[in-house]
Amino acid sequence: MDSKVLSHLQDNNTQPQTLDFLSQPLQMYVDGQWINAHSNERITAYDPCFNAEITTFPSASSIDLDKAICAARRTFDSKEWRDMLPLQRETLMHKLAGLVEQHADTLAQIEALDAGKAIAGCRDVDIAGSVDVLRYFAGWPSKIEGAVRPVSIPGEHVAMTVKEPVGVVGAIVPWNWPFNMMIWKFAAAIAAGCTLVLKPAQQTSLSAIYFAKLVEQAGFPAGAFNLITGKGSVIGNEMVSHPLISKVSFTGSTEIGKQVGAMASQNLAHVTLELGGKSPMVVFEDADIERVVAATQQSVFFNSGQVCSAGSRMYVQRKIYEEVIEAISSKTQAMKIGLSLDDSTDMGPVISTSQYANIIDYISIGQREGARLVSGGQTVGDDGFFIQPTVFADCNNTMRIVREEIFGPVLAIQPFDTEEEAIQLANDNEYGLAASVFSSDTSRAWRCVKQIKAGTVWINTHDMVDPCLPFGGFKNSGLGKDLGPEQLEQFLQTKTVWLEV
Ligand code: NAD
């Protein structure tokens, strides 16, 4: 561990368990065993606050992946897993949720260090939100139902449907919500009765390794959950085309998601794709400006803007245009940019050298395109990947900073005059993950909801998520849903049963 990372931990009341975990040689969890990569290759985990080494973990090869997928299939086919009663699966999931809750501080510290996310958000949103998701899905196994149908064939028949788990799930998650996205996949898959192999992003694998220890401690059968760490271009690619994978659940970029979908379809595997976004916020002149400002804090500046549903393009009705710009930029100027483990930090660094370079590039593109830089726009400090929250005004929909997903703390604002124009501007984008409308006129807000093409539309807020509500995009933002009964359904298949009496 680099000395700067050690000081980062020690100066911020880090728990002994966190230091203990980070000083162990980290391994993958396959078939109930802790293993190194067959090749013995390892990947380095970096603290984005200093671009300095935290630790290393295994870089799996296809041999390791195949072992994990075969283990998951054996467990799926085993009598122990098949005969586990719904309430027993619920009990196991609740036990795991309790363990995650018990280890919440350690998990939040690991996540904050590894992903550069501000610790307060990690604790309150990433980890606490994951416990909620586990508990929500823990309630499902005993409520998965088929239906008895009234067939019209003469004679005595009982005809029904039963729901069965699809098989082994290959789950791939990104680096911006490492723990949270892993739990979204894990909880629904296990509740449905599937087994899974999960691959975290190579930038952020540490909280997944800690989680696997909790899965083991909770007493899940060997092979029910397998954790493979490594490079997406190698094992991610192989995972989605493996013949024993029955369902691919992927969250990541649209570019990779399209490749993943194409490969999985070769085996007719079920696929869910949760992809990129460029979500509009539409602000009418009768909006509550304080709510608009609060919403930008929880969407485009939370996690340094590395949020798929970030409201990163904003349309404001002309009468309140300058007032909204002023309110947002003065709030962003008061934000504390700092070390991820410091409790008073509002915004930590972005994840990596390439992401840092990409965002800086987009800020200069915005200036070259003629947008007005209202606040931010600079990097912060010499170490790590810190960028100021940045607000551009006077943008238009032809600009790249408005059209493309920047995945950084950059907000692009432009004015509009009429409701019709606002809807047209909001829909004028390849993505359709989410959107928000701010107005005190509920009839107008409802008219907008019906016309905006996005998987989620919030009114007078942005980026609210709950385990009972499906989350997923339209257009180039994806296919299928995570969360809610809709997600559970995607891990099930329907069998028709016909009995002649
Ligand atoms: P990414 O597509 O580069 O990587 C995502 C995952 O795919 C990683 O685990 C990566 O290792 C793996 N991967 C890379 N190449 C692969 C391949 N050829 N085959 C299989 N797997 C491969 O995305 P990222 O940069 O990690 O994450 C950011 C993106 O994720 C953004 O576009 C963001 O909008 C999106 N995202 C979407 C949601 C949602 O719910 N819609 C949530 C979070 C993030």
Side-chain angles (χ1 to χ4, degrees), residues 201-395:
Q202 74 196 55
Q203 297 89 338
T204 52
S205 296
L206 304 187
S207 60
I209 298 174
Y210 196 93
F211 174 69
K213 289 179 185 290
L214 302 181
V215 173
E216 182 182 34
Q217 202 179 323
F220 277 79
F225 172 69
N226 303 273
L227 176 70
I228 281 285
T229 53
K231 296 185 181 133
S233 52
V234 182
I235 51 161
N237 203 37
E238 288 173 12
M239 179 192 279
V240 299
S241 45
H242 196 288
L244 292 183
I245 292 287
S246 304
K247 157 94 191 173
V248 173
S249 182
F250 175 88
T251 299
S253 62
T254 297
E255 184 193 350
I256 304 289
K258 285 183 175 175
Q259 294 170 28
V260 164
M263 281 188 289
S265 67
Q266 294 301 307
N267 293 327
L268 296 183
H270 301 238
V271 187
T272 304
L273 302 171
E274 297 292 348
L275 310 177
K278 187 77 185 179
S279 301
M281 296 173 82
V282 177
V283 180
F284 287 98
E285 61 191 21
D286 56 357
D288 176 342
I289 293 177
E290 270 181 35
R291 286 197 193 194
V292 176
V293 174
T296 60
Q297 295 293 298
Q298 72 201 34
S299 71
V300 73
F301 300 120
F302 185 85
N303 193 23
S304 306
Q306 301 166 120
V307 176
C308 51
S309 48
S312 51
R313 55 190 176 108
M314 180 181 280
Y315 303 94
V316 184
Q317 205 158 19
R318 205 169 297 274
K319 191 170 164 200
I320 58 163
Y321 182 60
E322 290 301 337
E323 195 185 342
V324 168
I325 292 168
E326 170 55 32
I328 292 173
S329 62
S330 62
K331 182 76 178 180
T332 59
Q333 282 163 31
M335 285 175 79
K336 182 176 169 199
I337 302 170
L339 294 181
S340 56
L341 288 173
D342 179 345
D343 243 313
S344 64
T345 292
D346 293 316
M347 216 175 82
V350 300
I351 186 75
S352 61
T353 322
S354 60
Q355 190 64 12
Y356 185 63
N358 211 20
I359 297 165
I360 294 168
D361 199 29
Y362 268 113
I363 292 173
S364 13
I365 289 171
Q367 287 171 301
R368 282 203 304 278
E369 285 179 322
R372 167 164 55 111
L373 182 63
V374 181
S375 57
Q378 302 294 316
T379 58
V380 181
D382 301 325
D383 274 339
F385 310 125
F386 296 92
I387 299 177
Q388 290 177 332
T390 298
V391 179
F392 279 109
D394 305 348
C395 302

